[in-house]
Amino acid sequence: MIIGFNKQFPDKINEGTKKHTLREDEYDRWHTGMKMHMSTGVRSKNYKCFKLDRCNGIQRIEIVYFEKRNRKFVFVFVDDLYIGGYYPDQDLIYGYKILPLAINDGFDSAKEFFQWFKEDFSGKIIHWTDLRY
């Protein structure tokens, strides 16, 4: 299946620093073993497949924003287990898996990751390596 990426990610995927991607999957399309045509410019004349691979595994992920007394906090759950959180206003991480999650998803910091995922998110972590959380 074709999976599109922003232009900032192909080099990180090819170098091995981006090890998975987070995607909404409302129709449950992604499954272990599926062929992945990693591409940029999907559905445009600039289409380019930069890597062929296979989906090595799937994990469910939820990112939940919570606000109390004008302070925001983000909870992150993988396969229904709490793996940590983040205070965006203070750039504070709770839980040792949050920074690796951000780095392995192709971001340089937790702050950058949560700027990308800036609201509640429910979906899947699509792995093409053996990494799991």
Side-chain angles (χ1 to χ4, degrees), residues 55-97:
C55 175
N56 187 293
I58 299 290
Q59 290 185 286
R60 291 181 322 278
I61 185 165
E62 292 220 31
I63 300 171
V64 181
Y65 278 79
F66 178 76
E67 188 170 342
K68 188 172 184 177
R69 296 187 194 127
N70 295 326
R71 294 185 67 191
K72 286 186 180 179
F73 188 73
V74 187
F75 298 96
V76 180
F77 300 88
V78 174
D79 291 335
D80 298 325
L81 297 173
Y82 174 75
I83 66 160
Y86 180 69
Y87 277 108
D89 299 336
Q90 300 168 3
D91 194 25
L92 289 175
I93 298 170
Y94 287 88
Y96 66 93
K97 292 183 179 180

Side-chain angles (χ1 to χ4, degrees), residues 2-118:
I2 294 171
I3 185 165
F5 289 93
N6 188 292
K7 289 183 180 183
Q8 75 189 56
F9 295 121
D11 287 343
K12 291 181 178 190
I13 291 169
N14 288 328
E15 293 165 0
T17 56
K18 180 170 173 62
K19 299 176 181 169
H20 55 63
T21 189
L22 278 59
R23 300 297 167 109
E24 292 179 341
D25 193 12
E26 180 181 353
Y27 300 108
D28 197 33
R29 297 175 358 159
W30 286 101
H31 299 282
T32 301
M34 292 182 74
K35 289 182 182 178
M36 300 174 67
H37 296 254
M38 299 178 180
S39 308
T40 57
V42 176
R43 295 189 186 104
S44 78
K45 64 180 180 177
N46 299 319
Y47 174 83
K48 179 182 178 189
C49 180
F50 62 87
K51 184 173 182 173
L52 297 173
D53 213 325
R54 284 201 181 270
C55 175
N56 187 293
I58 299 290
Q59 290 185 286
R60 291 181 322 278
I61 185 165
E62 292 220 31
I63 300 171
V64 181
Y65 278 79
F66 178 76
E67 188 170 342
K68 188 172 184 177
R69 296 187 194 127
N70 295 326
R71 294 185 67 191
K72 286 186 180 179
F73 188 73
V74 187
F75 298 96
V76 180
F77 300 88
V78 174
D79 291 335
D80 298 325
L81 297 173
Y82 174 75
I83 66 160
Y86 180 69
Y87 277 108
D89 299 336
Q90 300 168 3
D91 194 25
L92 289 175
I93 298 170
Y94 287 88
Y96 66 93
K97 292 183 179 180
I98 296 298
L99 185 57
L101 174 71
I103 300 289
N104 292 332
D105 202 46
F107 297 95
D108 295 327
S109 67
K111 182 177 184 175
E112 189 179 313
F113 176 85
F114 287 107
Q115 286 172 339
W116 185 281
F117 293 97
K118 56 187 170 210

